[in-house]
Amino acid sequence: MVAATSQRANVMRSALWAGLIALIAGGVLSLATSASAETHVVEMRGFEFFPAEVNAAIGDTIVWINKDVVPHTATAADGAWDSGLMETDDEFSLTIEADTSTGDYVCTFHPNMVGVISLD
Amino acid sequence: MFRKIFLPCAAGLFAVLGASAANAEDGGLNDMQIAHIAYVAGQIDIQYAEIAMKRSHNADVRAFAETMLRDHKSVNDAALALLEKLGATPEDNPTSKSLLASAAAKRAELKALKGAAFDRAYAANELSYHQFVNKTVEGTFIPAAQNAEFKDLLGVALATFKVHESHAEKLVKKLGK
Ligand SMILES: [Cu+2]
């Protein structure tokens, strides 16, 4: 009886281990894929983009967050993409694709606010 | 004496009132008078911008005026929210009254102009108005402000108006003499 019980316990334990290993492997795999597609956060703060320059790769996402009291925009210098008006704490995300317009972008409300997206 | 007492925000109103009692004695402005002047100053620039939106056909002037409408409203809304949180009411005073009187005269002057002459006069006034307001906020209001949160908000307002000042400077240059 005792032996049989411990046998079952062993089977269960190895099943648990197998599950755990699968979970870890899955986690590592998903980490690997997310590592190749990064998210870059740019804050709009004190009438500046922080950081002012982002080095991004295709597949990455850039998220702008307005931390100022006044509204801002993040707008491609060539107008190819535009967040539109962002109130305090609003977020805008842009996923960089092969044909996304990179380089300079501005806040259309405050022409002194300039940022750059450079491609890795 | 009152000015040295630092109180957390729940007791902010008492700090403001205490400061006002102390300041009234030495003839300076108290926080609620400063708040009134700063709010009025924002409203005045909103009114100038409203005139520009009615009279100007210049894209740069209109974009600038829209930014003034948007930003001054945001800053004034933030000021009202803080005052409400502190349970305080802005206090009318002679400086607010004289600001309003000279703004009324300037509005009449602007309304008599049109076309490029209006655009140049509006831009020039925006530059000198922001220069004047910034000098006052930086040199007088921020040093005099007692409540820490109010002082911070004045700092935010100053940063905003300085951006407007440099924007106005570029606009004046672009429109020419
Ligand atoms: Cu902006």
Side-chain angles (χ1 to χ4, degrees):
Chain A
M1 270 314 274
V2 173
T5 309
S6 98
Q7 189 92 38
R8 262 201 305 277
N10 276 338
V11 168
M12 278 178 72
R13 218 171 286 139
S14 39
L16 273 173
W17 275 115
L20 203 57
I21 287 162
L23 268 175
I24 291 168
V28 168
L29 274 177
S30 77
L31 270 180
T33 38
S34 72
S36 69
E38 278 181 66
T39 298
H40 310 265
V41 176
V42 177
E43 287 191 352
M44 295 136 140
R45 186 190 284 280
F47 292 85
E48 283 180 47
F49 294 108
F50 279 112
E53 183 167 358
V54 170
N55 295 302
I58 289 170
D60 286 3
T61 299
I62 304 174
V63 179
W64 284 267
I65 305 173
N66 182 7
K67 301 311 284 179
D68 271 339
V69 164
V70 303
H72 293 299
T73 77
T75 309
D78 64 4
W81 48 267
D82 183 10
S83 67
L85 184 146
M86 293 171 64
E87 301 274 10
T88 305
D89 292 329
D90 278 359
E91 292 185 11
F92 168 67
S93 40
L94 177 75
T95 298
I96 307 297
E97 284 159 27
D99 61 350
T100 302
S101 167
T102 52
D104 288 354
Y105 69 90
V106 297
C107 166
T108 55
F109 302 157
H110 307 107
N112 285 352
M113 287 178 71
V114 183
V116 185
I117 303 169
S118 47
L119 274 188
D120 271 347
Chain B
M1 273 306 283
F2 280 108
R3 281 187 237 186
K4 305 277 180 230
I5 302 171
F6 183 84
L7 292 162
C9 80
L13 177 59
F14 294 103
V16 167
L17 290 175
S20 106
N23 271 330
E25 285 159 27
D26 57 30
L29 293 164
N30 68 50
D31 282 12
M32 290 306 102
Q33 290 167 331
I34 294 172
H36 196 278
I37 299 164
Y39 190 88
V40 160
Q43 287 302 112
I44 287 171
D45 205 45
I46 286 172
Q47 289 175 321
Y48 289 145
E50 282 167 349
I51 298 173
M53 292 309 290
K54 282 198 190 107
R55 301 188 84 80
S56 181
H57 301 286
N58 180 297
D60 294 319
V61 171
R62 294 180 67 84
F64 178 87
E66 281 181 329
T67 292
M68 296 308 107
L69 291 173
R70 212 185 292 116
D71 288 1
H72 285 288
K73 185 184 184 304
S74 297
V75 171
N76 272 1
D77 285 352
L80 288 183
L82 176 61
L83 291 173
E84 194 178 333
K85 182 182 151 191
L86 297 175
T89 311
E91 187 184 317
D92 200 359
N93 59 86
T95 309
S96 290
K97 286 194 171 76
S98 84
L99 266 183
L100 283 169
S102 51
K106 181 52 83 175
R107 282 199 301 275
E109 208 180 300
L110 289 172
K111 281 178 181 166
L113 300 169
K114 53 185 167 186
F118 170 84
D119 292 339
R120 283 194 297 269
Y122 170 70
N125 183 54
E126 283 302 294
L127 177 56
S128 59
Y129 184 70
H130 280 91
Q131 283 168 339
F132 159 74
V133 170
N134 289 341
K135 221 181 187 174
T136 312
V137 172
E138 192 164 25
T140 308
F141 292 176
I142 291 178
Q146 299 298 309
N147 179 280
E149 283 180 280
F150 181 57
K151 204 189 261 285
D152 284 350
L153 183 63
L154 286 172
V156 167
L158 180 64
T160 306
F161 306 162
K162 280 191 168 173
V163 168
H164 294 172
E165 182 182 324
S166 79
H167 195 166
E169 211 172 331
K170 288 200 179 105
L171 187 63
V172 165
K173 276 198 194 111
K174 195 164 178 186
L175 293 171
K177 291 279 175 264

